[in-house]
Amino acid sequence: MFNLATIYDIAKEAKVSTTTVSRALNNHSSVNHKTRKKIIELAEKHGYQPNSKAKSLATKKSWSLGVLLIDDSDSGLNHTLFANIINSISKTASKRGYELTFLSKNLARSTVSYLEHANYRGFDGVIVANTNINDPHVNELIKNVKFIACIDQNHSNAICVNYKNRDGMEMTLNHLFSKGYRNVIYIHGQLDNYVTQERLIGFKETAKELNIERKCKYIEGEYTSPQKAYDITRRIIKEGLPDAIVYSDDYCASGGLRCLREHGINVPKDVAIMGYDGVEISSLITPSLTTIYQDTDRIGEVVTENLINSIENNRSHGYIIELPVSLILGETT
Amino acid sequence: MFNLATIYDIAKEAKVSTTTVSRALNNHSSVNHKTRKKIIELAEKHGYQPNSKAKSLATKKSWSLGVLLIDDSDSGLNHTLFANIINSISKTASKRGYELTFLSKNLARSTVSYLEHANYRGFDGVIVANTNINDPHVNELIKNVKFIACIDQNHSNAICVNYKNRDGMEMTLNHLFSKGYRNVIYIHGQLDNYVTQERLIGFKETAKELNIERKCKYIEGEYTSPQKAYDITRRIIKEGLPDAIVYSDDYCASGGLRCLREHGINVPKDVAIMGYDGVEISSLITPSLTTIYQDTDRIGEVVTENLINSIENNRSHGYIIELPVSLILGETT
DNA sequence: CTGTTAGCGCTTTCAC
DNA sequence: GTGAAAGCGCTAACAG
């Protein structure tokens, strides 16, 4: 880029001080109408743009938000649910005038922690969207950043916007039960993950209420993927089919579905299956998935609005917002 | 965040000047070994982090890249292909020490053009990933930013990293021809789009070579989506099936597939179909799609590495890199 | 209504 | 090997 005009150039040409230029350009009331007009004209003539660094340096406000997505595996934006959420966060941030920047562990020529990146950059706030709970850097970040919001996490000092994970599993199991399925296998995510824990609680409590605890089985999918789900499903087929299989997300369910079909097993006649998330693919595959819909537009909007409000009101304290989920009836149950 | 330690605090405590602290922390050779050691220790003790704005202001280097994704529709990160590409761009940028920030038309309390955002922010470079070609702001941006790279675009002053779109359609049509399909309908994207234009050229040239020009038909899908593709497919069914239908992307193909199935039409026996992109869904639906695979990891890496290299070597001139595509054989042809 | 001055935190001549 | 001083571009008392 070329050398851009500064406030000095304009001040000189308008024969006023930089203060006046600054005031005119920032809509301070106390500027003579004519002076203001002249300054604004000159600014346009020169295509003047303020310099964000100088401005932030002076005001201590960056108009930028950091967002943390796990970055050391492929589960960042490649997971549709999170891509959709980030899309919504980005839109909402933009609507409020904030930029969105990804947090990272590499900066210039060195390796840093997320907290160091955040401090270096001076974000006005940070959103933790999807992350590896075992990374101590994530905890350090959440504990030490003043304006912080999380999705599907549990931290007392952060704004936590979570889906009602327990409700989701309650709906799942009640639905299966109402359709007559009793023996259910739940292929869940990693146990050290908050979401998994909540869903398991929801599942187990409902199983107890329905009095089918004994008929339910759990398999930890660890790192889940369509292929992994495919493999687990094959094992299940060998060991004997249950009435229904619940997968940790729609992608896994689609992998499982493919396996079942390849083995000539009819869904839902021979076995029912359910996904989770309600991302686009759930309605595009055949048979379409019965799944739990999580509104990604809504969660992105809520988490971003709440964070920005807390920044602009300068009130930082943790609280929880829970967002409802709903069941989408597909052809697999 | 709390008040972070500055270079002044460290200088005072170490009883040296800020100059020396700066030098020590930036690995300048001309600092006494002992002094440097003391400074580094103090920096660690205070959890010192430089302030990016002050640093950029002084050095005119921001270590940050802007990325432009269309933001006034839902086609940003909600389109899997682009989510995958952004994921790769983000990873590569991070690997090289650069942050990634989304370009936007809203900044602080006002509306700006993309160029104004870029100038304001002082990005070291900008990547145009997916965009509305009709937006004059995009052209303005591309023409006026010094270090600029684009994906699947055609601009003489930018680094353009493109997929071989013509090849893709050549493969498509040759494949269909070799399987015996002659009457082909191509539901393509918007005509004012560079990618669409290239693919159409590839398609038509191949049709001519194969001498089936007369048997081919084109339908402009305008804004394409599974639903839109579904509707168009229904129209096609009414008007009479061709031998094969080529959709503009895998999502559309899946929408079309659903329509065909619902009308009791067998794919590929009654009609063959093909998608484009080779995103995950193409292999998850049944029948799996025959499609053209575009390597998203690769394109993100190439475009980012090239842009950063041009920045760091301070050589800005436009050139084109073309990336190969390949055919994935699915069950729909 | 406008200008002077100092300062945000860091780098970089230039001199010693 | 180290420091003084000026500057990056902008804002914010304070004074008038």
Side-chain angles (χ1 to χ4, degrees), chain A residues 31 86 96 154 196 226 247 258 289 294-295 300 307 309 321:
Chain A
V31 179
I86 299 296
R96 296 283 297 257
N154 186 22
T196 302
Y247 292 87
R258 169 163 284 267
L289 290 174
Q294 304 189 123
D295 190 333
L307 178 61
N309 289 343
I321 296 180

Side-chain angles (χ1 to χ4, degrees), chain B residues 185-248:
Chain B
I185 294 183
Y186 178 21
I187 304 175
H188 55 75
Q190 288 183 244
L191 272 177
D192 51 15
N193 181 327
Y194 174 68
V195 172
T196 302
Q197 290 163 9
E198 288 292 298
R199 292 198 191 155
L200 265 175
I201 292 174
F203 192 103
K204 289 182 175 168
E205 280 181 352
T206 313
K208 191 180 270 180
E209 276 171 27
L210 297 175
N211 215 0
I212 54 171
E213 299 165 81
R214 299 279 183 89
K215 301 178 186 291
C216 294
K217 263 183 65 185
Y218 309 90
I219 299 177
E220 182 171 359
E222 305 136 52
Y223 168 65
T224 51
S225 69
Q227 185 54 46
K228 184 94 189 171
Y230 183 101
D231 296 341
I232 294 179
T233 306
R234 189 157 51 186
R235 215 165 63 217
I236 293 177
I237 294 173
K238 266 195 199 142
E239 296 171 359
L241 283 178
D243 297 341
I245 306 176
V246 177
Y247 291 87
S248 54

Side-chain angles (χ1 to χ4, degrees), chain A residues 1-2 4 49-54 56-57 62-63 73-74 76-78 83-84 86-87 90-91 94 96-97 99-102 104 106-109 116-123 144-146 226 251 254 258 261 280-281 283-286 288 331, chain B residues 1-2 4 49-54 56-57 62-63 73-74 76-78 83-84 86-87 90-91 94 96-97 99-102 104 106-109 116-123 144-146 226 251 254 258 261 280-281 283-286 288 331:
Chain A
M1 328 201 184
F2 321 97
L4 302 171
Q49 262 316 110
N51 176 316
S52 70
K53 293 113 174 188
S56 314
L57 195 57
S62 71
W63 291 98
S73 89
D74 268 343
L77 288 172
N78 287 347
N84 293 346
I86 299 296
N87 198 58
S90 159
K91 266 193 194 173
S94 165
R96 296 283 297 257
E99 286 183 349
L100 204 62
T101 297
F102 290 120
S104 146
N106 298 91
L107 221 50
R109 308 220 175 282
E116 285 167 339
H117 184 176
N119 282 159
Y120 168 73
R121 220 7 202 74
F123 296 116
N144 290 285
V145 167
K146 186 167 177 198
Y251 278 89
S254 80
R258 169 163 284 267
R261 179 180 355 244
E280 196 172 24
I281 189 184
S283 67
L284 293 180
I285 62 178
T286 313
S288 62
E331 304 156 349
Chain B
M1 328 200 181
F2 320 97
L4 302 171
Q49 262 315 109
N51 176 315
S52 70
K53 292 114 175 189
S56 312
L57 195 57
S62 71
W63 289 98
S73 91
D74 268 344
L77 287 172
N78 286 348
N84 293 345
I86 299 296
N87 198 57
S90 157
K91 264 192 193 172
S94 164
R96 296 282 297 258
E99 287 181 349
L100 204 63
T101 297
F102 290 119
S104 145
N106 298 91
L107 221 51
R109 308 218 176 283
E116 284 167 339
H117 184 177
N119 283 157
Y120 169 73
R121 224 357 207 80
F123 296 117
N144 290 286
V145 167
K146 186 167 177 197
Y251 278 89
S254 80
R258 170 163 282 268
R261 179 181 353 245
E280 197 172 24
I281 190 185
S283 67
L284 293 180
I285 63 177
T286 313
S288 63
E331 303 156 349

Side-chain angles (χ1 to χ4, degrees), chain A residues 101-266:
Chain A
T101 297
F102 290 120
L103 244 44
S104 146
K105 287 192 173 179
N106 298 91
L107 221 50
R109 308 220 175 282
S110 52
T111 302
V112 296
S113 71
Y114 295 130
L115 179 60
E116 285 167 339
H117 184 176
N119 282 159
Y120 168 73
R121 220 7 202 74
F123 296 116
D124 292 335
V126 170
I127 298 176
V128 176
N130 173 23
T131 186
N132 177 359
I133 206 72
N134 290 319
D135 185 341
H137 284 319
V138 175
N139 262 294
E140 182 199 36
L141 178 76
I142 296 177
K143 293 228 170 83
N144 290 285
V145 167
K146 186 167 177 198
F147 296 104
I148 179 96
C150 306
I151 287 176
D152 260 343
Q153 303 258 346
N154 186 22
H155 288 278
S156 58
N157 65 311
I159 297 174
C160 296
V161 184
N162 301 342
Y163 289 117
K164 291 194 172 176
N165 288 294
R166 296 192 191 191
D167 282 15
M169 291 319 294
E170 191 183 328
M171 289 174 183
T172 296
L173 207 45
N174 276 331
H175 170 70
L176 291 174
F177 187 88
S178 76
K179 287 271 190 166
Y181 306 111
R182 295 291 181 275
N183 296 290
V184 180
I185 294 184
Y186 178 21
I187 304 175
H188 56 75
Q190 288 183 245
L191 274 177
D192 50 16
N193 181 328
Y194 175 69
V195 172
T196 302
Q197 290 164 9
E198 287 292 299
R199 293 199 190 155
L200 265 175
I201 291 175
F203 191 104
K204 290 183 175 167
E205 281 181 352
T206 313
K208 190 181 273 181
E209 276 171 26
L210 297 174
N211 216 0
I212 53 172
E213 299 166 82
R214 298 278 180 89
K215 301 179 187 291
C216 293
K217 264 184 63 184
Y218 309 90
I219 298 177
E220 182 170 359
E222 304 138 50
Y223 167 64
T224 50
S225 69
Q227 185 53 46
K228 183 93 189 173
Y230 183 102
D231 296 341
I232 294 179
T233 305
R234 188 156 54 186
R235 215 166 62 217
I236 292 177
I237 294 173
K238 266 196 198 140
E239 295 172 0
L241 283 178
D243 297 339
I245 306 175
V246 177
Y247 292 87
S248 53
D249 66 39
D250 296 334
Y251 278 89
C252 293
S254 80
L257 185 59
R258 169 163 284 267
C259 179
L260 293 166
R261 179 180 355 244
E262 286 179 12
H263 285 76
I265 294 165
N266 183 291

